[in-house]
Coordinates of all heavy atoms in Angstrom, one line a residue:
F1 N -127.4 -40.8 7.6 CA -126.3 -39.8 7.5 C -125.6 -40.0 6.2 O -125.2 -41.1 5.8 CB -125.2 -40.1 8.6 CG -125.8 -40.0 10.0 CD1 -125.7 -41.2 10.8 CD2 -126.4 -38.9 10.5 CE1 -126.2 -41.2 12.1 CE2 -126.9 -38.9 11.8 CZ -126.8 -40.0 12.6
S2 N -125.4 -38.9 5.4 CA -124.6 -38.9 4.2 C -123.4 -37.9 4.4 O -123.7 -36.8 4.8 CB -125.4 -38.5 3.0 OG -126.5 -39.3 2.8
V3 N -122.2 -38.3 4.1 CA -121.0 -37.5 4.4 C -120.1 -37.4 3.2 O -119.7 -38.5 2.6 CB -120.2 -38.0 5.6 CG1 -119.0 -37.1 5.8 CG2 -121.1 -38.1 6.8
L4 N -119.8 -36.2 2.7 CA -118.8 -35.9 1.7 C -117.6 -35.5 2.4 O -117.5 -34.5 3.0 CB -119.4 -34.8 0.8 CG -118.7 -34.6 -0.6 CD1 -118.8 -35.8 -1.4 CD2 -119.4 -33.4 -1.3
E5 N -116.6 -36.4 2.4 CA -115.4 -36.2 3.3 C -114.3 -35.4 2.6 O -113.9 -35.8 1.5 CB -114.9 -37.5 3.8 CG -115.9 -38.2 4.7 CD -115.4 -39.5 5.3 OE1 -114.6 -39.4 6.3 OE2 -115.7 -40.6 4.8
D6 N -113.8 -34.4 3.2 CA -112.5 -33.7 2.8 C -112.5 -33.2 1.4 O -111.5 -33.1 0.8 CB -111.3 -34.6 3.0 CG -111.2 -35.1 4.5 OD1 -111.5 -34.2 5.4 OD2 -110.8 -36.2 4.7
T7 N -113.7 -32.9 0.8 CA -113.7 -32.4 -0.5 C -114.4 -31.1 -0.6 O -114.4 -30.4 -1.7 CB -114.5 -33.4 -1.5 OG1 -115.8 -33.6 -0.9 CG2 -113.8 -34.7 -1.6
V8 N -115.0 -30.6 0.5 CA -115.6 -29.3 0.5 C -114.8 -28.5 1.6 O -115.0 -28.6 2.8 CB -117.1 -29.4 0.9 CG1 -117.7 -28.0 0.9 CG2 -117.9 -30.2 -0.1
G9 N -113.9 -27.6 1.1 CA -113.0 -27.0 2.0 C -112.1 -28.0 2.7 O -111.7 -29.0 2.1
N10 N -111.9 -27.8 3.9 CA -111.1 -28.8 4.7 C -112.0 -29.6 5.7 O -111.5 -30.2 6.6 CB -110.0 -28.1 5.4 CG -109.0 -27.5 4.5 OD1 -108.6 -28.2 3.5 ND2 -108.5 -26.3 4.7
H11 N -113.3 -29.5 5.5 CA -114.2 -30.0 6.5 C -115.1 -31.1 5.8 O -115.5 -31.0 4.7 CB -115.1 -28.9 7.1 CG -114.3 -27.8 7.6 ND1 -113.6 -27.9 8.7 CD2 -114.2 -26.5 7.2 CE1 -113.0 -26.7 9.0 NE2 -113.4 -25.8 8.0
P12 N -115.6 -32.1 6.6 CA -116.6 -33.0 6.1 C -117.9 -32.3 5.9 O -118.2 -31.3 6.6 CB -116.7 -34.1 7.1 CG -116.3 -33.4 8.4 CD -115.2 -32.4 8.0
L13 N -118.7 -32.7 4.9 CA -120.0 -32.1 4.6 C -121.0 -33.2 4.9 O -121.1 -34.2 4.2 CB -120.1 -31.6 3.2 CG -121.5 -31.0 2.8 CD1 -121.8 -29.7 3.7 CD2 -121.5 -30.6 1.4
L14 N -121.8 -32.9 6.0 CA -122.8 -33.9 6.5 C -124.2 -33.4 6.0 O -124.6 -32.3 6.2 CB -122.8 -34.0 8.0 CG -124.0 -34.6 8.7 CD1 -124.0 -36.1 8.4 CD2 -124.0 -34.4 10.2
D15 N -124.9 -34.4 5.4 CA -126.4 -34.2 5.2 C -127.1 -35.2 6.1 O -127.0 -36.4 5.9 CB -126.7 -34.5 3.7 CG -128.2 -34.4 3.4 OD1 -129.0 -34.0 4.3 OD2 -128.6 -34.7 2.3
F16 N -127.7 -34.7 7.2 CA -128.4 -35.5 8.2 C -129.9 -35.4 7.8 O -130.5 -34.4 7.9 CB -128.1 -34.9 9.6 CG -128.7 -35.7 10.7 CD1 -128.4 -35.3 12.0 CD2 -129.5 -36.8 10.6 CE1 -128.9 -36.0 13.1 CE2 -130.1 -37.5 11.6 CZ -129.7 -37.1 12.9
T17 N -130.4 -36.6 7.4 CA -131.8 -36.7 7.0 C -132.5 -37.3 8.2 O -132.2 -38.4 8.7 CB -132.0 -37.6 5.8 OG1 -131.2 -37.0 4.7 CG2 -133.4 -37.7 5.4
S18 N -133.6 -36.6 8.6 CA -134.4 -37.1 9.7 C -135.9 -37.1 9.3 O -136.5 -36.0 9.1 CB -134.3 -36.3 11.0 OG -135.0 -36.8 12.1
S19 N -136.5 -38.3 9.1 CA -137.9 -38.4 8.6 C -138.3 -39.8 8.7 O -137.6 -40.8 8.5 CB -137.8 -38.0 7.1 OG -139.0 -38.3 6.4
G20 N -139.5 -40.1 9.2 CA -140.5 -39.2 9.6 C -140.9 -39.4 11.1 O -140.6 -40.4 11.7
L21 N -141.7 -38.5 11.5 CA -142.2 -38.4 12.9 C -143.4 -39.3 13.2 O -143.4 -40.0 14.3 CB -142.5 -37.0 13.3 CG -141.3 -36.0 13.4 CD1 -141.8 -34.6 13.4 CD2 -140.5 -36.3 14.7
T22 N -144.3 -39.4 12.3 CA -145.5 -40.2 12.6 C -145.6 -41.5 11.7 O -146.4 -42.4 12.0 CB -146.8 -39.4 12.3 OG1 -146.8 -38.9 11.0 CG2 -146.9 -38.2 13.3
H23 N -144.8 -41.5 10.6 CA -144.9 -42.7 9.7 C -143.5 -42.8 9.1 O -142.7 -41.9 9.0 CB -146.0 -42.5 8.7 CG -145.9 -41.2 7.9 ND1 -146.0 -40.0 8.5 CD2 -145.6 -41.0 6.6 CE1 -145.9 -39.0 7.5 NE2 -145.6 -39.7 6.4
S24 N -143.3 -44.0 8.5 CA -141.9 -44.2 7.9 C -142.1 -45.2 6.7 O -143.1 -45.8 6.4 CB -141.0 -44.8 9.0 OG -141.5 -46.0 9.5
Y25 N -140.9 -45.3 6.0 CA -140.8 -46.2 4.8 C -140.6 -47.6 5.3 O -139.5 -48.2 5.2 CB -139.6 -45.7 4.0 CG -139.5 -46.2 2.6 CD1 -138.5 -45.7 1.8 CD2 -140.3 -47.2 2.1 CE1 -138.3 -46.1 0.5 CE2 -140.1 -47.7 0.8 CZ -139.1 -47.1 0.0 OH -138.9 -47.6 -1.2
S26 N -141.7 -48.2 5.9 CA -141.5 -49.5 6.6 C -141.1 -50.6 5.7 O -140.5 -51.6 6.2 CB -142.8 -49.8 7.3 OG -143.9 -49.8 6.4
N27 N -141.5 -50.5 4.4 CA -141.1 -51.6 3.5 C -139.8 -51.3 2.7 O -139.6 -51.9 1.6 CB -142.3 -51.9 2.5 CG -142.6 -50.7 1.6 OD1 -142.2 -49.6 1.9 ND2 -143.4 -51.0 0.6
F28 N -139.0 -50.5 3.3 CA -137.7 -50.1 2.6 C -136.9 -51.4 2.4 O -136.7 -52.2 3.3 CB -137.0 -49.1 3.5 CG -135.6 -48.8 3.0 CD1 -135.4 -47.8 2.0 CD2 -134.5 -49.4 3.5 CE1 -134.2 -47.4 1.6 CE2 -133.2 -49.0 3.1 CZ -133.0 -48.0 2.1
K29 N -136.4 -51.5 1.2 CA -135.6 -52.7 0.9 C -134.1 -52.4 0.5 O -133.3 -53.2 0.2 CB -136.2 -53.5 -0.3 CG -137.6 -54.0 0.0 CD -137.5 -55.1 1.1 CE -138.9 -55.8 1.2 NZ -140.0 -55.0 1.7
G30 N -133.8 -51.1 0.5 CA -132.5 -50.7 0.1 C -132.4 -49.8 -1.1 O -133.3 -49.8 -2.0
E31 N -131.4 -48.9 -1.2 CA -131.2 -48.0 -2.3 C -129.8 -47.5 -2.2 O -129.1 -47.5 -1.2 CB -132.1 -46.8 -2.3 CG -132.0 -45.9 -1.1 CD -133.1 -44.8 -1.0 OE1 -134.2 -45.1 -1.4 OE2 -132.8 -43.8 -0.5
D32 N -129.2 -47.2 -3.4 CA -127.8 -46.8 -3.5 C -127.6 -45.4 -2.9 O -128.4 -44.5 -3.1 CB -127.3 -46.8 -4.9 CG -127.3 -48.2 -5.6 OD1 -127.1 -49.1 -4.8 OD2 -127.4 -48.3 -6.8
N33 N -126.6 -45.3 -2.1 CA -126.1 -44.0 -1.6 C -124.6 -44.2 -1.1 O -124.4 -44.6 0.0 CB -126.9 -43.5 -0.4 CG -126.4 -42.2 0.2 OD1 -125.5 -41.6 -0.4 ND2 -127.0 -41.8 1.3
P34 N -123.7 -44.0 -2.0 CA -122.3 -44.2 -1.7 C -121.7 -43.4 -0.6 O -120.7 -43.7 -0.1 CB -121.6 -43.9 -3.1 CG -122.5 -43.1 -3.8 CD -123.9 -43.5 -3.4
L35 N -122.5 -42.3 -0.2 CA -122.0 -41.4 0.8 C -122.6 -41.7 2.2 O -122.3 -41.0 3.2 CB -122.3 -39.9 0.5 CG -121.7 -39.4 -0.9 CD1 -122.1 -38.0 -1.1 CD2 -120.2 -39.6 -0.9
R36 N -123.4 -42.8 2.3 CA -124.0 -43.1 3.5 C -123.0 -43.6 4.6 O -122.1 -44.4 4.3 CB -125.1 -44.2 3.3 CG -125.9 -44.6 4.5 CD -126.9 -45.7 4.2 NE -127.8 -45.3 3.2 CZ -128.1 -46.0 2.1 NH1 -127.5 -47.1 1.9 NH2 -129.0 -45.6 1.3
K37 N -123.3 -43.2 5.8 CA -122.5 -43.6 7.0 C -123.5 -44.3 7.9 O -124.5 -43.7 8.3 CB -121.8 -42.5 7.7 CG -120.8 -41.7 6.9 CD -119.6 -42.6 6.5 CE -118.6 -41.9 5.8 NZ -117.4 -42.7 5.4
G38 N -123.2 -45.6 8.2 CA -124.1 -46.3 9.1 C -125.3 -46.9 8.3 O -125.2 -47.0 7.0
K39 N -126.4 -47.2 8.9 CA -127.5 -47.8 8.3 C -128.6 -46.9 8.1 O -128.7 -45.8 8.8 CB -127.9 -49.1 9.1 CG -128.5 -48.7 10.4 CD -129.0 -50.0 11.2 CE -129.6 -49.7 12.5 NZ -130.0 -50.9 13.3
V40 N -129.5 -47.2 7.2 CA -130.8 -46.5 7.0 C -131.8 -46.9 8.1 O -131.9 -48.0 8.4 CB -131.4 -46.8 5.7 CG1 -132.8 -46.1 5.5 CG2 -130.5 -46.3 4.5

């Protein structure tokens, strides 16, 4: 979940990324995302 809060109109702007269904980034070690809410 990435959220831009209270800067687009008067509402939060959510980018909900859902990926993937059959395979995933299993060796993920981290990356910068200052707008992330929760964990990857």
